[in-house]
Amino acid sequence: MDANTFGLMSAGFANALMPSNLIMMIIGVTIGIVVGCMPGLSAAMGVALLLPLTFGMAPETGLIMLGGIYCGAIFGGSISAILIHTPGTPASAATALDGYELTKQGKAGKALGTACIASFFGGLLSCISLYFFAPMLAELAMKFGSPEYFWLALFGLTIIAGVTTGSMVKGLMSGAFGLILSTIGMDPMEGTERFMFGIDELYNGINVTCALIGLFSLSQVFILAEKAIKERGSIVKFHDSVMLKFHELKQIGPTVIRSWLIGNIIGILPGAGASIACFLGYNTAKQFSKKPEDFGRGSIEGVAGSEAANNAVTGLSLILIPTLTLGIPGESVTAVLMGGLIIQGLQPGPELFTKYAPMTYTFFAGFVIVQFFMLLIGLGGCRIFAHISKLSDAVLIPCIFVLCVVGSFAINNSFVDVVIMFIFGIMGYLMRKLGLNTAAVVLALILGPIGERGLRRSLTLSGNDITILFSTPICWILITLCILSSFSPLLMDWLKKGKQAIKGK
């Protein structure tokens, strides 16, 4: 790092610490957390809704506020995921697997504290990656072509074996069902209709957020409604501290580091995003855990793995992709931010690090400070947020139902999205009754289109020569990871039995 870059970094922090910027950080993070914990109101929606308010601000101040909304929303999604098994954003889908189990055990405070601390470290380490590893990571991202994206999607699909807490066969069946559903919409290569049944709203396929709300939220309403009404205030207890003890921090430390690395890699890849990173982080945490049997039954490592990974995506997907890789948005939030940059008269590209370098490094510094505000606001409000889980089912059921309907409709102002949400709610209810994996369906819905486009574009470019899929070292690295991931549950089970046999002797 040369003296000029160090000077820009120092000036960036000096500018970011101005009172006006600090106020916008607090407002942005608070709004983001509120938006994130409301099912259906995604981070992209929060950034898009607040974008017009930034037009009268200085470019760096407006960008800092939008960055605060983004980070707050990604963490906020874990609040409803943990308390009421309703992921506020797709990026928190894996958090619900263990977070809600901890709430049922009276450890809602512990789960929220873990999510907040893991989110903080994931986001903060992501900022460090921005400063020190941005050029190298950008160069790696530019080497990903269609064959690499096919194998990346396939690698993600092998995670289904890891996120499945019961039968692996049922997990793979759930994933296959999700892949079939992902083919609905316009053909990505030929533009022909596939399984749309004349419904124009299915042009871009099934809305993943609607599917997620149905599978996780509405299905939970059905599960609660079929049982006797519970007064949760007398059941859920919050004697546990929101702050983690030293041995708990030590326990999740390696998980946070691994999830940070995973989030960095996913964050620089266009089309990937936090929703994929959360499952990768969760699966890796389970594979390396000393107590993998606790996953799906209430493990703070599971919560930490998911939350650290999805927050580690934020810095690189929000900043690196639109600036260093020719303006290719990594996900919907990045696309909205790029629109904001262009409206401000700033063109994404190398000029942001030359002509507009002071503004860019102020944004970088603000993004670092935002992580600390997220930690303070998150930990300070955890006890308040935790009271949601004390609500009686008589209040909770209609509230979740209304949020599901309003959130689904608000995405595109379309009643079709509400119908889709209801359909997936019924599917989710039946799947949970049959022991199938709803998380696997969501994962397949996200990765299916990425894998299909990668495969078909590769074959088109090569004249249907399949060897193109094995033509680069990155392809072979991803193939190796696919094989290891597929057999990882069997390997971990074998290692576990080996350890038990050694202890028995």
Side-chain angles (χ1 to χ4, degrees):
M1 184 179 295
D2 56 31
N4 183 49
T5 302
F6 185 78
L8 288 169
M9 289 173 56
S10 301
F13 274 98
N15 293 332
L17 289 170
M18 292 177 62
S20 59
N21 289 332
L22 294 176
I23 292 172
M24 289 301 105
M25 291 178 202
I26 296 172
I27 293 174
V29 170
T30 304
I31 292 175
I33 292 176
V34 173
V35 168
C37 69
M38 304 293 282
L41 302 181
S42 64
M45 186 178 298
V47 173
L49 289 174
L50 274 296
L51 182 61
L53 297 180
T54 66
F55 294 164
M57 303 178 186
E60 60 270 23
T61 303
L63 291 174
I64 286 172
M65 181 178 177
L66 295 177
I69 294 172
Y70 183 28
C71 290
I74 295 296
F75 161 66
S78 68
I79 296 172
S80 53
I82 290 169
L83 298 179
I84 53 178
H85 201 259
T86 306
T89 63
S92 298
T95 307
L97 300 176
D98 280 286
Y100 186 62
E101 293 298 320
L102 287 167
T103 294
K104 292 196 295 185
Q105 298 169 19
K107 300 177 181 179
K110 187 71 67 181
L112 287 170
T114 300
C116 188
I117 293 172
S119 297
F120 165 72
F121 281 109
L124 186 64
L125 292 171
S126 176
C127 295
I128 295 174
S129 300
L130 272 175
Y131 280 112
F132 296 102
F133 303 113
M136 179 182 66
L137 294 174
E139 185 179 348
L140 175 63
M142 294 297 290
K143 293 181 179 179
F144 267 70
S146 297
E148 287 81 7
Y149 274 107
F150 167 70
W151 289 115
L152 176 67
L154 196 62
F155 171 52
L157 289 171
T158 61
I159 297 171
I160 290 173
V163 301
T164 302
T165 56
S167 168
M168 186 187 301
V169 174
K170 289 184 176 180
L172 295 175
M173 288 173 58
S174 303
F177 180 58
L179 283 178
I180 293 172
L181 294 176
S182 73
T183 62
I184 295 174
M186 298 295 287
D187 187 289
M189 300 297 292
E190 299 177 0
T192 56
E193 295 185 3
R194 301 189 304 192
F195 313 115
M196 290 175 57
F197 304 104
I199 303 174
D200 294 338
E201 285 79 0
L202 293 177
Y203 179 89
N204 291 320
I206 293 173
N207 187 291
V208 175
T209 304
C210 292
L212 186 144
I213 292 173
L215 289 170
F216 283 90
S217 308
L218 192 62
S219 64
Q220 184 66 21
V221 170
F222 294 149
I223 294 291
L224 293 175
E226 71 177 358
K227 300 177 181 179
I229 297 296
K230 295 180 181 179
E231 297 295 334
R232 295 178 181 272
S234 59
I235 298 175
V236 180
K237 301 186 183 302
F238 302 100
H239 298 310
D240 60 316
S241 172
V242 172
M243 293 300 299
L244 300 184
K245 297 177 181 177
F246 177 76
H247 72 89
E248 291 170 328
L249 289 171
K250 186 177 179 181
Q251 181 183 356
I252 68 172
T255 298
V256 170
I257 297 297
R258 286 190 295 267
S259 293
W260 161 52
L261 297 174
I262 291 169
N264 281 347
I265 296 171
I266 296 299
I268 63 174
L269 301 177
S275 52
I276 296 176
C278 75
F279 283 105
L280 280 168
Y282 181 87
N283 178 65
T284 306
K286 181 178 179 181
Q287 290 177 338
F288 284 90
S289 175
K290 296 180 180 179
K291 297 180 179 180
E293 66 277 2
D294 290 345
F295 281 66
R297 300 175 183 174
S299 169
I300 62 171
E301 288 181 86
V303 174
S306 171
E307 286 302 302
N310 62 30
N311 279 271
V313 168
T314 57
L316 292 170
S317 68
L318 189 64
I319 301 170
L320 199 75
I321 293 300
T323 55
L324 297 182
T325 57
L326 305 179
I328 302 172
E331 53 179 336
S332 54
V333 178
T334 310
V336 175
L337 180 72
M338 284 177 59
L341 283 170
I342 294 171
I343 291 171
Q344 292 277 10
L346 306 172
Q347 184 62 41
E351 280 194 349
L352 290 180
F353 289 89
T354 54
K355 184 178 180 180
Y356 301 106
M359 182 275 295
T360 301
Y361 279 94
T362 299
F363 181 25
F364 281 14
F367 207 73
V368 173
I369 301 170
V370 156
Q371 309 304 322
F372 289 90
F373 280 118
M374 182 180 69
L375 178 67
L376 295 174
I377 295 172
L379 290 178
C382 275
R383 286 285 174 184
I384 299 173
F385 301 140
H387 285 285
I388 297 174
S389 63
K390 289 186 178 182
L391 293 174
S392 165
D393 282 353
V395 176
L396 200 58
I397 291 172
C399 285
I400 297 177
F401 180 81
V402 170
L403 288 174
C404 288
V405 174
V406 173
S408 300
F409 182 80
I411 295 169
N412 295 310
N413 292 327
S414 172
F415 185 72
V416 173
D417 287 339
V418 179
V419 175
I420 291 173
M421 184 272 296
F422 268 103
I423 293 173
F424 274 87
I426 296 170
M427 286 182 184
Y429 172 78
L430 296 175
M431 290 179 69
R432 291 170 71 172
K433 287 294 183 181
L434 295 173
L436 298 174
N437 194 300
T438 54
V441 175
V442 174
L443 192 62
L445 276 173
I446 296 170
L447 292 172
I450 297 175
E452 182 186 5
R453 285 193 296 269
L455 176 62
R456 295 182 63 181
R457 286 174 182 171
S458 298
L459 295 178
T460 299
L461 290 171
S462 65
N464 292 323
D465 183 2
I466 198 172
T467 58
I468 191 175
L469 299 176
F470 308 92
S471 59
T472 67
I474 296 178
C475 286
W476 282 105
I477 292 173
L478 290 171
I479 291 170
T480 303
L481 291 174
C482 288
I483 296 172
L484 293 175
S485 180
S486 299
F487 291 98
S488 61
L490 298 176
L491 178 61
M492 291 299 173
D493 186 56
W494 179 76
L495 291 174
K496 180 181 175 182
K497 289 181 179 179
K499 289 180 180 179
Q500 291 176 346
I502 293 173
K503 290 181 179 179
K505 294 180 180 180

